Amino acid sequence: MTAITQPDPALTSRLEAARAEAGQPLSREEVADIIREVIGTMEGDISALDLQVYNELEALARYIQSARVEIAAIRPDEIREDHIPKATDELDAVVGATEDATGRILDAAEQIQTIAEGLDQPAQGQLIDLVTGIFEACNFQDITGQRISKVVRTLKHIETKIDVLIQALGEEVERAKIHSEANREPKPASDEDLLNGPQLPAAANGQDEIDRLLAGLD
Amino acid sequence: MAVDMSMPILIVDDYKTMLRIIRNLLKQLGFENVDEATDGSAALHKLREKNYGLVISDWNMEPMTGLQLLREVRADAKLKNLPFIMITAESKTENVIAAREAGVNNYIVKPFNADTLKQKLTAVLGSF
């Protein structure tokens, strides 16, 4: 009788070869098949210890498979394809809107400054002080823009990590996607579904379009 | 020696809004001869074309950063003594040390106000 204290070399070698051939982690069923195959080739009686190791390996394979299915059910593909692109688009829209608003505030401040230069004191000094305050306050646009850029970079980093996760999970993700879409029942939009917040500029209806839409509903 | 209020000043920032703010604040302080560049390499080109009295530069720009611009300026025989103020949101100690080691004359952290700008200009150029 040979006590098994280390993984059996034949089993290790067979598992590595199968993993290399598949190019991805093996499923629980595949691991179990290989274990059966290797045990079948063993000579002599299989000891109680062998069986215990086999059972533990099988339990481990079941646990890994279950974890893969649970992670796939979270739909990491949806996070990559839907949630992260939406978040970055929203942040880009914030940067664009604040840049536009700041530009218009500065336009007005510069015009006030020009008018102030034609006035006598103390009005001129008072107006220039106020305009200076506006210029100083507009610093925020640079700072918020840089902060938002940092958040976008972090989101891109998360996206890369999720890509790796999706590749590792492979078919489980595809199965979870099909399952989720098959079980999605069409339902009428609730009040909550209507709360989408501001639309991105490219997708938003302008006031003219809203007016036409309303007129069409009369 | 009195500060030459008509000296050309080059301001460098990739945010057009920030260029407008700095230009306007400089104008209120009496400096109206102001040129702009939106990154280090464009700034370096302008510095080699015209005699400026001061550079006020952002740090975080592409393709050439403000720190790289500063190093280029200090390595250039004709530009090496040009007063250079960094104006940036990079406020870590190591940033300030790196800028000082590269030869910056003064350092303003964004967001800044008109008083800070005036103080730093005075420290670099003298009273005006």
mmCIF file of all heavy atoms in Angstrom, chain B residues 19-39:
data_model
loop_
_atom_site.group_PDB
_atom_site.id
_atom_site.type_symbol
_atom_site.label_atom_id
_atom_site.label_comp_id
_atom_site.label_asym_id
_atom_site.label_seq_id
_atom_site.Cartn_x
_atom_site.Cartn_y
_atom_site.Cartn_z
ATOM 1 N N LEU B 19 -6.118 79.193 -18.695
ATOM 2 C CA LEU B 19 -5.342 80.228 -19.394
ATOM 3 C C LEU B 19 -6.076 81.570 -19.316
ATOM 4 O O LEU B 19 -5.454 82.617 -19.076
ATOM 5 C CB LEU B 19 -5.122 79.830 -20.864
ATOM 6 C CG LEU B 19 -4.142 78.674 -21.116
ATOM 7 C CD1 LEU B 19 -4.163 78.269 -22.588
ATOM 8 C CD2 LEU B 19 -2.719 79.048 -20.705
ATOM 9 N N ARG B 20 -7.400 81.513 -19.496
ATOM 10 C CA ARG B 20 -8.184 82.756 -19.447
ATOM 11 C C ARG B 20 -8.136 83.378 -18.054
ATOM 12 O O ARG B 20 -8.034 84.591 -17.895
ATOM 13 C CB ARG B 20 -9.649 82.485 -19.812
ATOM 14 C CG ARG B 20 -9.855 82.295 -21.292
ATOM 15 C CD ARG B 20 -11.300 81.994 -21.596
ATOM 16 N NE ARG B 20 -12.149 83.165 -21.497
ATOM 17 C CZ ARG B 20 -13.459 83.132 -21.762
ATOM 18 N NH1 ARG B 20 -14.042 82.011 -22.121
ATOM 19 N NH2 ARG B 20 -14.178 84.227 -21.681
ATOM 20 N N ILE B 21 -8.243 82.517 -17.028
ATOM 21 C CA ILE B 21 -8.237 83.014 -15.649
ATOM 22 C C ILE B 21 -6.894 83.681 -15.335
ATOM 23 O O ILE B 21 -6.843 84.803 -14.823
ATOM 24 C CB ILE B 21 -8.514 81.856 -14.658
ATOM 25 C CG1 ILE B 21 -9.956 81.375 -14.810
ATOM 26 C CG2 ILE B 21 -8.245 82.283 -13.219
ATOM 27 C CD1 ILE B 21 -10.259 80.072 -14.099
ATOM 28 N N ILE B 22 -5.809 82.990 -15.668
ATOM 29 C CA ILE B 22 -4.479 83.548 -15.351
ATOM 30 C C ILE B 22 -4.253 84.847 -16.137
ATOM 31 O O ILE B 22 -3.765 85.845 -15.605
ATOM 32 C CB ILE B 22 -3.364 82.516 -15.649
ATOM 33 C CG1 ILE B 22 -3.547 81.267 -14.776
ATOM 34 C CG2 ILE B 22 -1.983 83.118 -15.404
ATOM 35 C CD1 ILE B 22 -2.651 80.093 -15.153
ATOM 36 N N ARG B 23 -4.637 84.825 -17.416
ATOM 37 C CA ARG B 23 -4.464 86.025 -18.250
ATOM 38 C C ARG B 23 -5.213 87.217 -17.640
ATOM 39 O O ARG B 23 -4.679 88.328 -17.540
ATOM 40 C CB ARG B 23 -4.988 85.740 -19.670
ATOM 41 C CG ARG B 23 -5.002 86.968 -20.570
ATOM 42 C CD ARG B 23 -5.687 86.648 -21.881
ATOM 43 N NE ARG B 23 -4.806 85.953 -22.796
ATOM 44 C CZ ARG B 23 -3.894 86.533 -23.564
ATOM 45 N NH1 ARG B 23 -3.739 87.851 -23.517
ATOM 46 N NH2 ARG B 23 -3.148 85.838 -24.377
ATOM 47 N N ASN B 24 -6.472 86.974 -17.224
ATOM 48 C CA ASN B 24 -7.273 88.058 -16.661
ATOM 49 C C ASN B 24 -6.705 88.565 -15.336
ATOM 50 O O ASN B 24 -6.709 89.772 -15.068
ATOM 51 C CB ASN B 24 -8.726 87.596 -16.476
ATOM 52 C CG ASN B 24 -9.508 87.726 -17.776
ATOM 53 O OD1 ASN B 24 -9.664 88.817 -18.325
ATOM 54 N ND2 ASN B 24 -9.986 86.609 -18.297
ATOM 55 N N LEU B 25 -6.242 87.626 -14.512
ATOM 56 C CA LEU B 25 -5.675 88.053 -13.225
ATOM 57 C C LEU B 25 -4.374 88.833 -13.445
ATOM 58 O O LEU B 25 -4.113 89.825 -12.752
ATOM 59 C CB LEU B 25 -5.438 86.836 -12.313
ATOM 60 C CG LEU B 25 -6.724 86.138 -11.826
ATOM 61 C CD1 LEU B 25 -6.386 84.894 -11.008
ATOM 62 C CD2 LEU B 25 -7.597 87.091 -10.994
ATOM 63 N N LEU B 26 -3.570 88.398 -14.417
ATOM 64 C CA LEU B 26 -2.341 89.142 -14.738
ATOM 65 C C LEU B 26 -2.682 90.539 -15.241
ATOM 66 O O LEU B 26 -2.017 91.524 -14.887
ATOM 67 C CB LEU B 26 -1.519 88.387 -15.790
ATOM 68 C CG LEU B 26 -0.769 87.144 -15.311
ATOM 69 C CD1 LEU B 26 -0.165 86.392 -16.499
ATOM 70 C CD2 LEU B 26 0.331 87.505 -14.304
ATOM 71 N N LYS B 27 -3.738 90.609 -16.039
ATOM 72 C CA LYS B 27 -4.163 91.915 -16.577
ATOM 73 C C LYS B 27 -4.541 92.855 -15.428
ATOM 74 O O LYS B 27 -4.184 94.028 -15.428
ATOM 75 C CB LYS B 27 -5.365 91.710 -17.511
ATOM 76 C CG LYS B 27 -5.858 92.974 -18.165
ATOM 77 C CD LYS B 27 -7.057 92.694 -19.048
ATOM 78 C CE LYS B 27 -7.627 94.000 -19.591
ATOM 79 N NZ LYS B 27 -8.887 93.790 -20.312
ATOM 80 N N GLN B 28 -5.262 92.304 -14.429
ATOM 81 C CA GLN B 28 -5.659 93.134 -13.286
ATOM 82 C C GLN B 28 -4.443 93.602 -12.482
ATOM 83 O O GLN B 28 -4.491 94.646 -11.843
ATOM 84 C CB GLN B 28 -6.597 92.353 -12.380
ATOM 85 C CG GLN B 28 -7.964 92.154 -13.023
ATOM 86 C CD GLN B 28 -8.939 91.457 -12.105
ATOM 87 O OE1 GLN B 28 -8.603 91.077 -10.992
ATOM 88 N NE2 GLN B 28 -10.150 91.286 -12.585
ATOM 89 N N LEU B 29 -3.373 92.801 -12.539
ATOM 90 C CA LEU B 29 -2.146 93.200 -11.816
ATOM 91 C C LEU B 29 -1.289 94.141 -12.653
ATOM 92 O O LEU B 29 -0.261 94.629 -12.184
ATOM 93 C CB LEU B 29 -1.335 91.950 -11.444
ATOM 94 C CG LEU B 29 -1.996 91.011 -10.427
ATOM 95 C CD1 LEU B 29 -1.187 89.727 -10.275
ATOM 96 C CD2 LEU B 29 -2.144 91.698 -9.071
ATOM 97 N N GLY B 30 -1.694 94.370 -13.899
ATOM 98 C CA GLY B 30 -0.974 95.325 -14.749
ATOM 99 C C GLY B 30 -0.117 94.702 -15.830
ATOM 100 O O GLY B 30 0.572 95.406 -16.567
ATOM 101 N N PHE B 31 -0.117 93.367 -15.933
ATOM 102 C CA PHE B 31 0.661 92.687 -16.985
ATOM 103 C C PHE B 31 -0.264 92.330 -18.153
ATOM 104 O O PHE B 31 -1.122 91.450 -18.024
ATOM 105 C CB PHE B 31 1.313 91.404 -16.434
ATOM 106 C CG PHE B 31 2.306 91.639 -15.343
ATOM 107 C CD1 PHE B 31 1.941 91.512 -14.007
ATOM 108 C CD2 PHE B 31 3.618 92.004 -15.630
ATOM 109 C CE1 PHE B 31 2.858 91.731 -12.987
ATOM 110 C CE2 PHE B 31 4.549 92.216 -14.610
ATOM 111 C CZ PHE B 31 4.162 92.083 -13.287
ATOM 112 N N GLU B 32 -0.070 93.006 -19.266
ATOM 113 C CA GLU B 32 -0.997 92.768 -20.387
ATOM 114 C C GLU B 32 -0.337 92.093 -21.565
ATOM 115 O O GLU B 32 -1.000 91.687 -22.513
ATOM 116 C CB GLU B 32 -1.629 94.101 -20.824
ATOM 117 C CG GLU B 32 -2.438 94.726 -19.703
ATOM 118 C CD GLU B 32 -3.620 95.529 -20.214
ATOM 119 O OE1 GLU B 32 -4.201 95.169 -21.247
ATOM 120 O OE2 GLU B 32 -3.932 96.543 -19.563
ATOM 121 N N ASN B 33 1.002 91.987 -21.541
ATOM 122 C CA ASN B 33 1.722 91.383 -22.660
ATOM 123 C C ASN B 33 1.885 89.876 -22.396
ATOM 124 O O ASN B 33 2.939 89.417 -21.952
ATOM 125 C CB ASN B 33 3.085 92.065 -22.819
ATOM 126 C CG ASN B 33 3.763 91.684 -24.123
ATOM 127 O OD1 ASN B 33 3.224 90.903 -24.909
ATOM 128 N ND2 ASN B 33 4.952 92.229 -24.343
ATOM 129 N N VAL B 34 0.796 89.138 -22.642
ATOM 130 C CA VAL B 34 0.752 87.727 -22.237
ATOM 131 C C VAL B 34 0.512 86.835 -23.453
ATOM 132 O O VAL B 34 -0.410 87.070 -24.236
ATOM 133 C CB VAL B 34 -0.365 87.507 -21.189
ATOM 134 C CG1 VAL B 34 -0.484 86.030 -20.842
ATOM 135 C CG2 VAL B 34 -0.098 88.330 -19.935
ATOM 136 N N ASP B 35 1.345 85.819 -23.614
ATOM 137 C CA ASP B 35 1.140 84.797 -24.651
ATOM 138 C C ASP B 35 0.754 83.479 -23.978
ATOM 139 O O ASP B 35 1.017 83.279 -22.789
ATOM 140 C CB ASP B 35 2.419 84.586 -25.470
ATOM 141 C CG ASP B 35 2.701 85.759 -26.405
ATOM 142 O OD1 ASP B 35 1.765 86.543 -26.679
ATOM 143 O OD2 ASP B 35 3.868 85.915 -26.829
ATOM 144 N N GLU B 36 0.186 82.562 -24.786
ATOM 145 C CA GLU B 36 -0.280 81.286 -24.230
ATOM 146 C C GLU B 36 0.285 80.104 -25.003
ATOM 147 O O GLU B 36 0.544 80.196 -26.201
ATOM 148 C CB GLU B 36 -1.816 81.219 -24.331
ATOM 149 C CG GLU B 36 -2.527 82.315 -23.559
ATOM 150 C CD GLU B 36 -4.039 82.288 -23.784
ATOM 151 O OE1 GLU B 36 -4.523 81.448 -24.591
ATOM 152 O OE2 GLU B 36 -4.737 83.108 -23.160
ATOM 153 N N ALA B 37 0.437 78.987 -24.292
ATOM 154 C CA ALA B 37 0.767 77.704 -24.929
ATOM 155 C C ALA B 37 0.011 76.615 -24.167
ATOM 156 O O ALA B 37 -0.279 76.784 -22.983
ATOM 157 C CB ALA B 37 2.268 77.434 -24.881
ATOM 158 N N THR B 38 -0.309 75.511 -24.851
ATOM 159 C CA THR B 38 -1.138 74.491 -24.204
ATOM 160 C C THR B 38 -0.364 73.224 -23.815
ATOM 161 O O THR B 38 -0.959 72.273 -23.341
ATOM 162 C CB THR B 38 -2.335 74.103 -25.107
ATOM 163 O OG1 THR B 38 -1.834 73.744 -26.379
ATOM 164 C CG2 THR B 38 -3.323 75.227 -25.227
ATOM 165 N N ASP B 39 0.945 73.199 -24.036
ATOM 166 C CA ASP B 39 1.761 72.123 -23.467
ATOM 167 C C ASP B 39 3.228 72.544 -23.494
ATOM 168 O O ASP B 39 3.580 73.593 -24.068
ATOM 169 C CB ASP B 39 1.544 70.796 -24.211
ATOM 170 C CG ASP B 39 2.416 70.675 -25.437
ATOM 171 O OD1 ASP B 39 2.136 71.335 -26.453
ATOM 172 O OD2 ASP B 39 3.406 69.945 -25.376
#
